[in-house]
Amino acid sequence: MKHLVLAAACLLVPLPALATQIDLSTETCEEFLASDKTEMMLTLAWLDAYYKDVDAPPVIDTDSFVENAGKLGEYCARNPTIGLITATDKLFGE
């Protein structure tokens, strides 16, 4: 019951304004690194799910998530003009 109340309360908290769409196919590493924390976390969560195997269990490994976010941040800092999806394909694609 406490979890349900907490989840409902989170829905009532106003979120910072976000772009109505985040087009990852055109976003560069520089734009990703310049995005606000909320947008960056949404993008990282989406990317984490995108690069999981189809049959992978619905589990978020926070250690792996943080490690991969760090790898992406370092790569993007060194390659600001590269496309974000190009960078993630290079780092996490097969």
Side-chain angles (χ1 to χ4, degrees):
M1 181 67 174
K2 287 193 299 187
H3 295 311
L4 182 60
V5 172
L6 179 60
C10 288
L11 292 174
L12 298 175
V13 175
L15 296 174
L18 293 175
T20 55
Q21 294 184 351
I22 302 168
D23 187 350
L24 299 180
S25 69
T26 62
E27 186 166 301
T28 64
C29 275
E30 182 176 36
E31 292 168 331
F32 170 70
L33 292 176
S35 63
D36 66 44
K37 182 179 178 180
T38 302
E39 186 175 320
M40 188 177 286
M41 293 306 293
L42 285 169
T43 301
L44 288 169
W46 187 91
L47 290 167
D48 183 62
Y50 182 78
Y51 287 99
K52 288 198 182 305
D53 290 333
V54 172
D55 296 328
V59 173
I60 298 171
D61 178 344
T62 57
D63 290 336
S64 175
F65 182 88
V66 169
E67 180 182 332
N68 288 340
K71 286 178 187 176
L72 181 59
E74 289 173 13
Y75 185 85
C76 280
R78 289 189 313 269
N79 302 281
T81 59
I82 196 167
L84 183 62
I85 294 300
T86 301
T88 56
D89 279 347
K90 181 174 175 56
L91 293 171
F92 311 119
E94 297 193 31

